[in-house]
Amino acid sequence: MRGSLQAYKRVSVDSQLTSASPHRVIQMLMAGAIERLIQGKVSMEQGNIAVKGERLGKALDIIICLRSSLSMEDGGDIATNLDALYEFMIQQTYKANQENKPELIDDVIDMLREIKSAWEQIPAEFHNITQFEM
């Protein structure tokens, strides 16, 4: 049953991505990173090392992807600040994983939620811009 649910979720995400605006793709990435961080934290607290590593690894992949999508040339101070925040999140996640400190994951989740909230405030007329100028 669990395998069927996972397959359904993958198909659902894939279908959303094919029709998503660049703005929506970033929203989905942020939501995915937050979800993986929460799962990693719970696994850490439960002592499930394998799942912790897998979930935090996926969260890191997403945060690295978000960071690499920044347009440093066009984004000015916002892109520079986001770059520094993403770098901090990456380092905190590595440290939390290595030292088994779930409170560090909480900090990363809080930061991502704030960025996601700000991202969601962008007016709809800017949602289909293909270059991520932040």
Side-chain angles (χ1 to χ4, degrees):
M1 179 68 157
R2 184 163 169 78
S4 298
L5 181 59
Q6 292 299 334
Y8 176 78
K9 285 174 98 175
R10 272 192 301 277
V11 168
S12 177
V13 168
D14 289 346
S15 66
Q16 286 181 46
L17 279 172
T18 58
S19 62
S21 69
H23 183 268
R24 179 71 182 125
V25 171
I26 297 294
Q27 284 178 312
M28 291 172 70
L29 286 169
M30 288 181 189
I34 291 167
E35 182 179 348
R36 298 315 176 288
L37 287 165
I38 291 168
Q39 292 167 344
K41 178 187 170 197
V42 169
S43 297
M44 183 184 298
E45 292 170 340
Q46 294 173 344
N48 190 336
I49 305 302
V51 174
K52 172 192 85 163
E54 187 254 333
R55 296 297 193 265
L56 293 181
K58 286 184 178 186
L60 282 167
D61 288 344
I62 294 169
I63 295 168
I64 290 166
C65 177
L66 288 167
R67 186 178 184 206
S68 69
S69 75
L70 294 171
S71 177
M72 299 306 288
E73 294 173 10
D74 301 320
D77 289 342
I78 294 172
T80 301
N81 291 338
L82 282 171
D83 183 62
L85 285 172
Y86 288 139
E87 175 60 24
F88 179 77
M89 288 183 222
I90 291 165
Q91 296 307 317
Q92 287 294 94
T93 303
Y94 278 128
K95 186 175 180 178
N97 188 26
Q98 290 174 341
E99 299 176 12
N100 274 327
K101 292 187 173 181
E103 66 275 6
L104 298 179
I105 298 296
D106 287 333
D107 294 341
V108 176
I109 291 168
D110 290 344
M111 293 170 81
L112 265 176
R113 282 183 174 152
E114 267 194 61
I115 294 169
K116 185 176 181 292
S117 175
W119 188 257
E120 290 168 350
Q121 301 304 312
I122 295 173
E125 61 263 23
F126 298 107
H127 288 194
N128 288 311
I129 296 175
T130 57
Q131 185 177 25
F132 303 120
E133 297 178 4
M134 295 184 267

